[in-house]
Amino acid sequence: MPGPGRLRFGRSIFLLALLLATLPWPASAGDYPERTIKIVVPFPAGGPTDVAARLIAQSLATKFGKGVVVENHPGAGGRIGAKLVASATPDGYTLLLGGTNVNAIGAIFTDLGFDPVKSFAPIAVVCVDSLAIALSPRVPADNFKDFVVYAKDHPGKLKYGASPGIYTQFAGEYFKLKTGTDILFVPYKGGAPAVTDALGGHIEMVVNNKSNLLPQFRDGKLKALAVTSKERWPELPQTPTMREVGILGFPEEVLFGLLAPAGTPQAIVMKLNSAVNEALQSADVRTSLDGIGVDARATTPQEFAAALDQQAREWKRVIEETGIQVE
């Protein structure tokens, strides 16, 4: 019969084994994924973030042979969906389609209940967008110079629309600051209703993504004043950049990318990074991204993190210059 010491030792080994069995061991990259992956889009369906997420979801599902679903959780400039992912288990099964607005600009806000930088592990950039300043067809000005003159002749009488607390509002305020114009800001819940009101002449100016405005420019329904990109858009060779019209220092790019909760095993992050970059080499994916006016861009997780850090500093400077109050 075993003595008391041996019984105590055996019981200790059993309890230790039981404890270890219940600990949340990180999944190895070799086993991942074993079940459905969820990509949270913190904006409404149909926008550029949503389209990019669904393209990547389809590619990942094909690559891994597992389901990849997209869930839209819009609100608060993308911060509701981001908070949901920030608090998720860091196992690679809940991801965020974030980027410039959610993570770089989000870093400027306080009391969010999560850290837009430290709460996430960047995986890969998916695509790069830019912004444009557009006019309603009812505005009696067809170019940047004429519109600035018209706006100065009608101080406080013109309106522009954008979602509050994100880069579209900041672009509008920066435009006003640098041109010395007084244009009333009208907040919208999303870019689509702002564009609709510009088309109907309810507001005179709208600031939005290339992916949202390009179809309106192509159809001649809105007039393009300037674009934020470094170079002119190939689709609108006659439209100047912000730099060309004398508005310097405005961030040129808007990044969309995939992120995981902080603490996600590096092996899983790298496996996802490889799969995303592989998808971006697909002719079908690149053509689909081109079709909505964004450019595919393959990166390492480190490059994505560095780009977000740079953008956070750029947007902080814009906010400080304009004096916008963020909460």
Side-chain angles (χ1 to χ4, degrees):
M1 176 180 295
R6 181 173 298 179
L7 285 173
R8 286 195 297 271
F9 177 75
R11 178 176 175 81
S12 297
I13 293 295
F14 172 76
L15 291 175
L16 177 61
L18 183 62
L19 174 64
L20 293 176
T22 60
L23 289 177
W25 288 93
S28 69
D31 297 331
Y32 175 86
E34 296 180 306
R35 53 187 172 84
T36 299
I37 298 170
K38 176 172 64 180
I39 299 177
V40 172
V41 174
F43 295 101
T49 314
D50 182 66
V51 173
R54 293 180 189 280
L55 285 171
I56 290 302
Q58 183 178 358
S59 296
L60 294 181
T62 301
K63 170 74 174 179
F64 294 141
K66 299 292 182 180
V68 182
V69 299
V70 173
E71 290 187 2
N72 297 87
H73 292 272
R79 290 177 283 278
I80 291 177
K83 185 176 182 179
L84 178 69
V85 178
S87 61
T89 303
D91 55 9
Y93 290 99
T94 303
L95 307 175
L96 174 71
L97 207 296
T100 295
N101 180 58
V102 176
N103 303 98
I105 293 176
I108 301 164
F109 288 74
T110 58
D111 300 326
L112 296 179
F114 68 100
D115 189 310
V117 176
K118 295 180 181 179
S119 296
F120 298 96
I123 295 171
V125 172
V126 173
C127 57
V128 181
D129 203 346
S130 58
L131 306 177
I133 298 174
L135 293 183
S136 164
R138 299 186 184 183
V139 175
D142 294 323
N143 57 58
F144 185 90
K145 181 179 178 180
D146 289 349
F147 178 68
V148 171
V149 171
Y150 179 74
K152 287 183 176 181
D153 288 342
H154 299 79
K157 300 294 181 62
L158 307 184
K159 301 178 292 294
Y160 86 91
S163 297
I166 67 172
Y167 48 71
T168 49
Q169 180 198 6
F170 304 154
E173 294 302 310
Y174 200 74
F175 171 89
K176 290 163 54 178
L177 174 70
K178 295 301 182 179
T179 58
T181 52
D182 179 10
I183 305 173
L184 178 66
F185 168 57
V186 179
Y188 286 84
K189 291 185 177 180
V195 171
T196 298
D197 273 7
L199 291 169
H202 303 295
I203 57 176
E204 286 74 26
M205 188 176 89
V206 65
V207 184
N208 215 292
N209 298 72
K210 177 182 181 180
S211 45
N212 288 331
L213 290 175
L214 187 57
Q216 311 301 334
F217 294 150
R218 282 171 168 163
D219 294 341
K221 295 180 179 179
L222 290 177
K223 296 184 281 191
L225 278 192
V227 298
T228 65
S229 52
K230 185 176 182 179
E231 306 291 341
R232 295 188 180 195
W233 293 356
E235 302 89 347
L236 298 176
Q238 303 304 316
T239 302
T241 66
M242 296 270 268
R243 180 180 296 272
E244 287 177 312
V245 297
I247 299 181
L248 308 179
F250 191 79
E252 296 169 344
E253 297 182 334
V254 174
L255 301 177
F256 297 118
L258 202 63
L259 304 98
T264 299
Q266 185 64 15
I268 291 178
V269 170
M270 294 308 300
K271 188 168 187 177
L272 284 166
N273 173 268
S274 177
V276 170
N277 288 338
E278 181 179 325
L280 296 179
Q281 299 304 312
S282 162
D284 289 343
V285 170
R286 296 180 77 90
T287 298
S288 295
L289 291 174
D290 287 343
I292 62 170
V294 298
D295 300 319
R297 177 176 296 178
T299 62
T300 65
Q302 294 77 16
E303 289 170 339
F304 186 17
L308 289 174
D309 179 67
Q310 177 182 346
Q311 290 213 335
R313 287 184 274 109
E314 290 178 347
W315 286 104
K316 182 179 180 180
R317 174 182 50 77
V318 167
I319 291 171
E320 290 175 344
E321 281 192 53
T322 57
I324 298 172
Q325 297 298 312
V326 297
E327 299 178 357

